[in-house]
């Protein structure tokens, strides 16, 4: 029975590529597999996925993309950055043997939605696939505009405005803002933010969240504008109008 979702896989290791394809097809997904990033890129642009400017994807466009980080001709991180720069909204799951924190952050900053390290358990990969596809389904045919005071966020277009000023946000900054906006008025814990935005808890000694909160505040609060992002010491952060 088909899951009615098409998944693009780019992995240069033939054994892993075949194993991924078989695993996903057994679950009912349609899989289009490539041995390098350039071949995947050429095909993705041919089928024209859904874009942030509102253009809908063509028939056969992938619903999810799985990229290895290290690939010939075009690596997964570069491919991810290029697709996001063109406004492609399709979820991207990065798969790699590189497990260091900086590698995870680099992958997510490049525009990936989730990150899984090799060797991975089949159930773990399938859980990530289902979660990313559910996220897409939840956003379909639902109003994507969120407002907090004079802040407006268009989730589908991945754009945000404070009053009449558009905010220039990175992928991670936007995801962080969205997570806080969905919980506007509530205090969101450090752990919840890490697990939702980064899919990884870097631990109590990490400064990653603090750094991104600082970046976000600089872009949110213009001259004379009241603070929207508030710190609750020892607990987390809250997005709320004064």
């Amino acid at each position: 029975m088909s899951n009615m979702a098409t998944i693009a896989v780019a992995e240069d290791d033939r054994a892993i590529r075949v194993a991924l394809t078989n695993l996903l097809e057994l679950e009912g997904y349609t899989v289009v597999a490539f041995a390098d990033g350039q071949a995947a890129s050429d095909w993705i642009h041919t089928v024209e996925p859904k874009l942030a400017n509102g253009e809908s994807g063509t028939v056969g466009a992938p619903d999810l993309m799985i990229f290895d980080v290290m690939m010939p001709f075009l690596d997964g991180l570069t491919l991810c950055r290029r697709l996001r720069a063109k406004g492609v909204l399709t979820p991207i799951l990065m798969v790699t043997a590189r497990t260091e924190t900086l590698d995870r952050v680099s992958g997510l900053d490049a525009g990936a939605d989730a990150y899984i390290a090799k060797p991975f358990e089949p159930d773990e990969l399938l859980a990530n696939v289902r979660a990313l596809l559910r996220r897409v389904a939840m956003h379909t045919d639902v109003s994507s505009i969120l407002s907090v005071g004079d802040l407006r966020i268009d989730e589908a277009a991945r754009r945000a405005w404070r009053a009449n000023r558009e905010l220039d946000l990175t992928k991670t900054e936007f995801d962080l803002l969205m997570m806080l906006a969905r919980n506007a008025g509530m205090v969101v814990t450090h752990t919840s933010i890490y697990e939702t935005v980064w899919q990884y808890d870097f631990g109590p000694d990490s400064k990653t969240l603090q750094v991104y909160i600082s970046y976000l505040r600089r872009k949110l609060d213009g001259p004379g504008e009241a603070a929207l992002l508030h710190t609750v010491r020892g607990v987390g952060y809250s997005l709320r109008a004064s």
Side-chain angles (χ1 to χ4, degrees):
M1 183 176 178
S2 174
N3 277 305
M4 303 300 291
T6 297
I7 300 177
V9 173
E11 166 63 65
D12 63 316
D13 186 308
R14 184 180 183 279
I16 296 176
R17 185 171 66 253
V18 171
L20 273 172
T21 300
N22 291 340
L23 175 65
L24 293 167
E25 287 183 342
L26 282 172
E27 292 295 309
Y29 300 110
T30 298
V31 180
V32 185
F34 303 92
D36 63 77
Q38 188 59 59
S41 176
D42 293 343
W43 177 79
I44 290 165
H45 287 99
T46 299
V47 296
E48 299 178 352
K50 182 179 179 181
L51 300 179
N53 63 11
E55 293 182 16
S56 58
T58 58
V59 175
D63 301 289
L64 171 69
M65 297 180 284
I66 301 177
F67 298 152
D68 183 29
V69 169
M70 301 299 293
M71 292 187 290
F73 307 116
L74 185 63
D75 65 88
L77 292 179
T78 301
L79 175 54
C80 189
R81 290 191 192 98
R82 289 182 181 178
L83 291 172
R84 294 306 188 221
K86 290 180 178 294
V88 174
L89 294 174
T90 308
I92 296 174
L93 172 63
M94 302 298 294
V95 181
T96 179
R98 302 167 67 178
T99 59
E100 290 82 0
T101 296
L102 283 177
D103 292 323
R104 290 177 179 267
V105 172
S106 295
L108 296 168
D109 279 347
D113 296 275
Y115 191 111
I116 187 170
K118 302 174 186 175
F120 52 82
E121 293 294 329
D123 287 345
E124 180 186 9
L125 181 124
L126 291 174
N128 275 275
V129 167
R130 289 191 295 269
L132 291 173
L133 291 174
R134 278 199 304 270
R135 189 184 304 176
V136 174
M138 286 172 61
H139 296 162
T140 303
D141 298 326
V142 177
S143 175
S144 63
I145 304 295
L146 286 177
S147 298
V148 181
D150 61 353
L151 172 69
R152 292 183 300 115
I153 307 170
D154 186 335
E155 185 172 8
R158 296 186 68 82
R159 299 173 68 186
W161 298 263
R162 179 79 193 267
N164 294 318
R165 173 174 56 91
E166 184 165 5
L167 308 180
D168 181 16
L169 303 175
T170 66
K171 189 266 181 189
T172 301
E173 290 166 354
F174 185 88
D175 289 346
L176 176 57
L177 182 61
M178 273 302 310
M179 197 268 184
L180 293 167
R182 290 192 191 106
N183 297 278
M186 301 171 61
V187 179
V188 186
T189 66
H190 302 119
T191 298
S192 294
I193 295 173
Y194 274 132
E195 291 179 349
T196 301
V197 177
W198 282 273
Q199 286 84 48
Y200 182 78
D201 189 345
F202 296 111
D205 297 326
S206 174
K207 301 296 182 184
T208 301
L209 178 55
Q210 183 179 332
V211 168
Y212 274 93
I213 288 290
S214 176
Y215 292 159
L216 196 52
R217 279 193 170 122
R218 289 176 199 168
K219 296 180 179 182
L220 273 177
D221 303 334
E225 293 177 334
L228 289 177
L229 185 48
H230 305 272
T231 301
V232 181
R233 295 193 181 278
V235 181
Y237 300 94
S238 178
L239 186 72
R240 64 178 185 272
S242 299

